[in-house]
Amino acid sequence: MDKCLYYINMSFWKNVDDELKFQGIERKELASLADFDVSYIGKGISRNSIPAADLALRIAKALNVSLEYLLEVPETSYAKKKENSTDINKALHLYHKFSSHLTELEKLTSKERETVLILMQTINAAHKK
């Protein structure tokens, strides 16, 4: 399987699930909004597949996100022209992915947050060696 296609397969349904959690939407509600059988989500995850293009687009529209965001499509020359849009999508994706951690960080004092950030930098530097 093409490396790029494999990556897209792995990320599509996980991104859909992450977005559902973020928006507080149940799978059944998404299925109703995008007009598909709710079992497609579970099957897509277990089979590591992506839906047909028309369904993927309906899902993106129902979630009010870009199809590129759900697919995590590698940057193309077209995407480079829309760099600001891509940056916003990346920022949104990171926010969705780490929002619970950010909430926990906000509960800490500024000194505690600084300590956590130093710890993260130390771990990151150790992995680069």
Side-chain angles (χ1 to χ4, degrees):
M1 179 184 297
D2 181 291
K3 192 175 186 177
C4 180
L5 186 58
Y6 178 75
Y7 177 73
I8 289 171
N9 285 354
M10 286 190 58
S11 64
F12 182 85
W13 289 111
K14 181 179 181 334
N15 290 342
V16 169
D17 252 359
D18 289 348
E19 191 62 29
L20 287 172
K21 288 175 194 164
F22 176 74
Q23 294 187 25
I25 299 173
E26 296 292 323
R27 286 180 175 184
K28 188 174 182 178
E29 185 179 349
L30 173 64
S32 176
L33 289 169
D35 191 30
F36 68 96
D37 189 287
V38 70
S39 67
Y40 286 10
I41 297 174
K43 289 176 185 175
I45 292 170
S46 66
R47 294 177 182 163
N48 195 27
S49 63
I50 56 175
D54 63 324
L55 177 54
L57 188 57
R58 289 196 318 264
I59 290 170
K61 285 183 179 182
L63 292 172
N64 198 29
V65 297
S66 72
L67 184 55
E68 291 84 359
Y69 167 74
L70 292 177
L71 292 172
E72 291 186 358
V73 176
E75 199 170 311
T76 64
S77 59
Y78 175 75
K80 288 178 185 175
K81 292 178 184 174
K82 295 197 164 215
E83 200 167 308
N84 289 340
S85 175
T86 301
D87 289 346
I88 290 169
N89 282 341
K90 285 179 185 176
L92 283 172
H93 175 72
L94 288 172
Y95 175 76
H96 295 246
K97 187 174 182 179
F98 295 110
S99 63
S100 62
H101 302 296
L102 293 170
T103 301
E104 293 301 314
L105 278 171
E106 282 296 311
K107 293 177 185 176
L108 301 175
T109 66
S110 60
K111 184 66 177 164
E112 290 168 330
R113 275 194 299 273
E114 184 179 328
T115 303
V116 170
L117 293 174
I118 290 169
L119 177 61
M120 289 170 50
Q121 291 168 344
T122 303
I123 292 169
N124 190 32
H127 279 95
K128 288 182 179 179
K129 292 181 180 179

